[in-house]
Amino acid sequence: RIAPQSARGGKAAESGANLTALRGIFTSGLEKIEADAAQKIKIWPDEYLKAVKDLQATMKKAGNLEGLLACNQETDRFRTARTLTADLLVTQPPQLRAIQESFVDAEGKYTLEKNKATVALVERYVARLTSLQTDLTKVDKIEDAKAVNAEIKSVKANPKVTAAEFAMADHDAKIA
């Protein structure tokens, strides 16, 4: 997270080394967002299968043959397809449907979370850089201000950033 500068004029004193430090904080934040999303996307299928298996055991213990067979069928289907979309939701048993609803389009949800976090991080970083650029310009540190400006342009042109911004704009347009 990029911390706000507390001392008045402190931003103007930041230059090359501090720009490098800010860039490092931003890059680390971006890497963490991506790693967290990748981990969630990687493990959700196992979590889903565990939830279905747990329900399967509950159905067996209760002697609910129809529920047990539905869980068996869903386990087999999911192991083959490794996907769960709204059109694949069962109607019965309701316990299985509830599990499915909590996992439906999990990858899309985690990707959306990643994109939201990326856009928020970029907005904070660019705001901090813009403020730094303004302060540096005011104290006539033009070369340092130009370096900050180049960083702003670089961040805005980063393919990961533009992809996240495009995905969020597309998502927002779909729900509008």
Side-chain angles (χ1 to χ4, degrees), residues 45-131:
D46 294 332
E47 291 176 342
Y48 175 69
L49 280 176
K50 181 185 179 321
V52 174
K53 285 287 193 184
D54 290 348
L55 178 60
Q56 193 174 27
T58 300
M59 294 292 183
K60 182 177 178 180
K61 188 174 180 181
N64 183 337
L65 178 62
E66 295 298 320
L68 177 64
L69 293 175
C71 289
N72 288 345
Q73 184 177 3
E74 176 57 13
T75 299
D76 292 343
R77 185 207 64 78
F78 188 78
R79 282 192 176 135
T80 302
R82 297 298 277 188
T83 188
L84 182 62
T85 56
D87 61 314
L88 297 171
L89 299 181
V90 298
T91 55
Q92 293 295 321
Q95 302 94 322
L96 178 55
R97 181 165 180 109
I99 291 169
Q100 288 180 316
E101 287 174 346
S102 69
F103 283 94
V104 71
D105 196 26
E107 190 168 335
K109 289 175 187 174
Y110 296 137
T111 300
L112 179 63
E113 286 176 13
K114 177 186 81 163
N115 290 334
K116 283 182 181 178
T118 298
V119 169
L121 177 66
V122 168
E123 287 173 352
R124 289 191 309 271
Y125 184 51
V126 168
R128 177 68 192 272
L129 290 174
T130 301
S131 178

Side-chain angles (χ1 to χ4, degrees), residues 15-35:
S15 58
N18 288 333
L19 178 58
T20 301
L22 290 173
R23 185 181 301 126
I25 293 167
F26 170 73
T27 301
S28 294
L30 196 57
E31 288 170 356
K32 182 177 181 341
I33 289 167
E34 290 176 5

Side-chain angles (χ1 to χ4, degrees), residues 7-18:
R8 183 179 169 104
K11 291 179 191 170
E14 295 176 351
S15 58
N18 288 333

